[in-house]
Amino acid sequence: MRRTLVLIVLLAGVFVCASYSISELERFHKEDPQNIDLAIELGIAYHDAGLEGDKDSVTKAIRILEDVLKRRDLGLARAYLGSSFLLRARDDWNPFGKLLNLNQGIDHLDRAVEGNPDDILIRVIRANAYANIPAFFGKLDVAISDFEIIVQVLAEDGLSIEIQLNARLKLVQLYMRNGMNDKAATHYEWLKENAPDSQATIMAGEELER
């Protein structure tokens, strides 16, 4: 259940990890520094704070997730590390630093998916991360492909309709950015048929009208 809830929030474009505050996770980690699962939770919490604009938390996320990967090569940690590097690229005023962080983020995200192609959560992290970088970096098609796979897997697994709504909305937005209006309209039609009054359907309709 928890994994499904995390997935819902990820598809909505917001990354969350646990019900604990950062200060609580820091305390737990200090008491049990060898606990890798706890370190990942703290790294994700730092990442989430960085997503909201806290630059220091981005640095902390990168530091702790890199330490995790030195101990064990875990796809989830690598995916969040990649996303954290993209957040640092977002905040870096130096063009060279921005490009360096961007390339590091892309490398980690792609390696995470390549090593765990069937892990839907890792693919969601990459899809959302790539959806938020400029299209000229050439990752828009990857984000679209990831979300198409996510939609297909979720439909086959019969998971929450809410997950489908958010994934379809993302596809409408990305296809419109890519000038593929017909494909965007296909996902909008699905939204209208399956959830005509949902916020996702309303937002998708507004996107098509722009």
Side-chain angles (χ1 to χ4, degrees):
M1 174 62 75
R2 179 183 174 192
R3 191 176 181 85
T4 300
L5 290 174
V6 171
L7 189 55
I8 292 171
V9 180
L10 284 169
L11 283 167
V14 180
F15 294 80
V16 299
C17 83
S19 58
Y20 297 111
S21 67
I22 286 180
S23 60
E24 288 174 318
L25 287 170
E26 287 174 333
R27 177 166 57 83
F28 297 152
H29 179 61
K30 186 176 181 179
E31 293 171 353
D32 188 8
Q34 299 306 312
N35 188 322
I36 287 182
D37 290 336
L38 186 56
I40 294 174
E41 292 284 355
L42 180 56
I44 295 172
Y46 284 142
H47 170 278
D48 297 342
L51 192 68
E52 298 300 317
D54 187 335
K55 297 179 183 180
D56 289 339
S57 288
V58 173
T59 299
K60 291 177 181 178
I62 290 172
R63 185 183 302 125
I64 195 168
L65 292 170
E66 284 184 329
D67 181 65
V68 167
L69 290 175
K70 288 176 183 177
R71 291 187 282 164
R72 190 182 305 170
D73 189 358
L74 298 173
L76 184 64
R78 189 173 295 283
Y80 271 107
L81 177 61
S83 184
S84 297
F85 272 115
L86 292 189
L87 292 178
R88 190 155 74 178
R90 175 201 65 186
D91 298 331
D92 199 329
W93 62 270
N94 186 316
F96 298 104
K98 188 179 290 290
L99 185 59
L100 176 63
N101 284 298
L102 185 76
N103 287 335
Q104 286 182 285
I106 288 172
D107 178 64
H108 282 296
L109 284 163
D110 287 349
R111 286 172 63 188
V113 173
E114 288 167 6
N116 306 271
D118 298 324
D119 191 312
I120 196 69
L121 181 53
I122 289 174
R123 199 172 285 274
V124 166
I125 295 168
R126 184 175 74 169
N128 277 287
Y130 283 178
N132 290 320
I133 63 176
F136 59 78
F137 286 108
K139 293 300 180 179
L140 182 57
D141 287 343
V142 177
I144 288 173
S145 175
D146 280 344
F147 275 118
E148 288 285 9
I149 291 170
I150 291 162
V151 165
Q152 180 181 352
V153 170
L154 295 179
E156 292 173 353
D157 288 350
L159 294 178
S160 166
I161 185 67
E162 188 64 29
I163 303 176
Q164 278 277 357
L165 298 185
N166 286 305
R168 300 270 183 178
L169 171 60
K170 288 285 188 179
L171 283 167
V172 170
Q173 295 169 336
L174 294 176
Y175 277 131
M176 291 297 291
R177 281 175 56 188
N178 213 24
M180 304 170 74
N181 296 14
D182 290 344
K183 289 192 174 183
T186 297
H187 287 285
Y188 177 54
E189 290 302 320
W190 187 97
L191 287 167
K192 285 199 301 181
E193 180 178 348
N194 290 274
D197 300 322
S198 72
Q199 186 64 26
T201 304
I202 294 170
M203 292 176 66
E206 293 173 349
E207 190 77 26
L208 286 168
E209 291 175 359
R210 291 179 183 176

